[in-house]
Structures are given as C-alpha cells and as structure tokens.
Amino acid sequence: MSDELGRVRQMWHLLEPLHAVLYYAPEAFEEAAALGYAVDERWPSYFAWRAAPLGEAGAGQVGETFYSFSPRMVDAYVPAVWSTASPEAVLAARGRAVDRTYRTLLGEAVTAPDTAEAAALLRRVAEAADTTGRPLAAANAALPRPEASHLALWHAATVLREHRGDGHLAALADAELDPVEALVSFAGIGAARPEVFASRGWSDEEWAQARERLAKRGLLADDGTATEAGRVLRAEVERRTDEEAAAPWRVLTDEERERLVELLGPLWVAAIGSGLLPSETTLGIGKV
C-alpha cells in the first residue's frame, strides 16, 4: 500500500466511528421513537437515518446504494419508513440526534476551538469530493451545511464516508462480486465472523450458494476461507476502494492532514470508548 493510500485508510478508520455512533446512541433511538419508529431493534431507524437524504427512496434504490442487505430485509423497512415520517422530518430528527449524541460523547469539546478547526478542515475535504455517480455521497453533500462545529464535523465525515462507500461498490462491481458474494468473500479473509454478516438478512441457503459460486471461481476453499486468489482479489478491492477515496484528501497539505489526525484523535477515543459501537462489524476495520 502506498503512503497516500495508507493515509486515506487511516482517515477512514478515524472518521467511521464518528459517523456510526448515530446508529447506536440512546439519544438517536429516542429521536426515532418520537417520530414513531420501533426501537426494539436498530434497523427501522438505521434505514430511515441513512436513506433520508435520498428522499422517498424505494426499496430498489436503497438496496442498490446500501448493497450488502438482502432484498427481503430492505423490503421489510423500505418504503414503510416513509409512512412513519417524511424524509424531511427524519433529517431534522437526525440533526437533533447527532447534536445530542455528540454533546453526551464529547461534552465541552463540542464547542472547543479544536473541534471547530477539525470541522473546517474536514469541510474542505468534503467540498473537494466529486460525487458524480455516487448517490449517497451526493445526497448528503446537497444538504445544508450545519453551522455548529460538531454538526459540521459529522456532516463532512458522513459525506466522505458515503463517498468512500459508493466507490467501494464500484470496486466490488469490477471484481464481479454481487452483494452476498461480497460478504462471503470478506468473511473468507477474516474481516469478521460469518455470524456478524448475518445481520444483512441473507439466508443460510443464499450464503451457501454464494460460497459455491466463489469456490467455482477458485476464490474460496471448501471450508469457506479465501484461497490465495481470493485474498488477492479482496486486496485489489480494498486498494481500488482507497484509490477511489483518495482524491478529496489531496486538498490538504501533509501538515494539515497530520493536524487533522491530531485533532480527531480525542474524538475517536471518545466514540470508541463510549461502548456504543460493536467490537466487530461488517466493515472489517482493523482487520483488512
């Protein structure tokens, strides 16, 4: 991995927890419940929070942009989430949820000069991102920029997170990995246990069929672990994903990037140390 791509991946590792706390925070579930969503599981609010920038997106559009979820799982929540609350109402509640969550996590840091400095640097990067052909990044980038530093930071982190994710889907398409194959091949290199990927709603039969297809391509061994060819392919997917995410970060000098890492470090520690986030996720952070 080149130095540049290593830095791009480092920034993703720092920003992902700062984005993802929305999907787990008690404050976010309270806001979702106030809208009328069931909160005995996280999926109704997850689909609402993440898809709302797209407008009243149907199951097909959400399935394509989220990619890894089974069509049955998407159909269970979309478009029903828009019968509970409009995308506009969801976005307003999302802003309140992020505000409350960050105030709990970060305390006085939400108004600290360091947070404002980090938000300003991140905003420059997010505004440099070309969102052409990247629907989730484009939809978030089109939203009004929050004025409060902590909200501006979350917004910019989300634009960049979805920009990376949209690029990842392009890399998976080039590798000819369909949604369930993407998960099976990722499990095959040890990114997470297969049980973790079960959260995406694929049946045991669909998982087994995907394993068979990948085995026929020489990408998986009989026990479901990746062959050398499978590891090479997944490494290429990750390299291509980093390349697709790299361009916006070139707006910062090396000194500015190092300063941003310094500024984000305590915020990352707060998010990781909150206990809100699962220790093992489908993203494979820290394992690939």
Side-chain angles (χ1 to χ4, degrees):
M1 181 185 296
S2 71
D3 288 345
E4 180 188 37
L5 297 188
R7 291 192 294 269
V8 169
R9 180 158 288 246
Q10 178 190 31
M11 298 311 303
W12 172 48
H13 287 188
L14 283 171
L15 291 178
E16 179 62 29
L18 297 176
H19 163 84
V21 290
L22 171 69
Y23 306 127
Y24 299 93
E27 295 83 357
F29 285 119
E30 289 170 5
E31 293 290 344
L35 291 176
Y37 292 108
V39 292
D40 55 331
E41 60 172 346
R42 73 184 182 96
W43 298 116
S45 57
Y46 172 87
F47 278 95
W49 297 140
R50 193 170 175 218
L54 298 170
E56 288 195 14
Q61 185 180 9
V62 170
E64 288 175 2
T65 53
F66 287 21
Y67 199 69
S68 65
F69 291 88
S70 77
R72 288 183 310 282
M73 187 167 179
V74 177
D75 287 343
Y77 300 104
V78 181
V81 291
W82 313 131
S83 299
T84 301
S86 69
E88 293 77 15
V90 170
L91 287 171
R94 188 174 83 164
R96 294 192 299 271
V98 173
D99 178 49
R100 293 178 59 201
T101 297
Y102 269 32
R103 288 183 185 279
T104 299
L105 281 179
L106 307 180
E108 294 181 357
V110 296
T111 58
D114 281 359
T115 301
E117 184 181 354
L121 288 169
L122 273 181
R123 176 173 286 186
R124 283 174 53 200
V125 180
E127 290 177 345
D130 182 359
T131 59
T132 304
R134 302 185 190 225
L136 280 170
N140 279 282
L143 297 174
R145 288 353 186 227
E147 291 301 320
S149 296
H150 61 299
L151 300 182
L153 186 148
W154 187 87
H155 176 261
T158 298
V159 171
L160 292 167
R161 187 255 197 184
E162 299 294 15
H163 178 272
R164 179 186 180 85
D166 290 334
H168 183 60
L169 300 195
L172 291 171
D174 283 352
E176 299 182 350
L177 294 170
D178 68 26
V180 65
E181 290 170 355
L183 299 182
V184 173
S185 64
F186 212 27
I189 64 168
R193 292 171 295 115
E195 293 83 358
V196 174
F197 294 106
S199 65
R200 271 34 186 173
W202 301 97
S203 68
D204 291 343
E205 181 179 5
E206 288 167 327
W207 189 271
Q209 290 172 346
R211 281 181 59 167
E212 289 178 6
R213 294 194 298 272
L214 294 173
K216 287 180 180 178
R217 291 174 61 184
L219 302 175
L220 285 187
D222 290 342
D223 63 357
T225 60
T227 62
E228 180 60 26
R231 291 187 175 278
V232 168
L233 183 68
R234 284 302 318 201
E236 176 61 18
V237 167
E238 297 306 311
R239 184 194 64 78
R240 170 74 185 279
T241 299
D242 291 333
E243 284 186 343
E244 289 284 332
W249 293 101
R250 295 176 187 140
V251 75
L252 299 183
T253 65
D254 287 345
E255 292 76 15
E256 288 172 327
R257 185 198 60 79
E258 291 173 5
R259 175 60 176 160
L260 183 56
V261 169
E262 179 184 353
L263 293 167
L264 291 175
L267 309 184
W268 178 87
V269 169
I272 294 296
S274 69
L276 294 174
L277 301 172
S279 60
E280 191 175 16
T281 75
T282 60
L283 298 178
I285 289 179
K287 295 190 176 183
V288 295

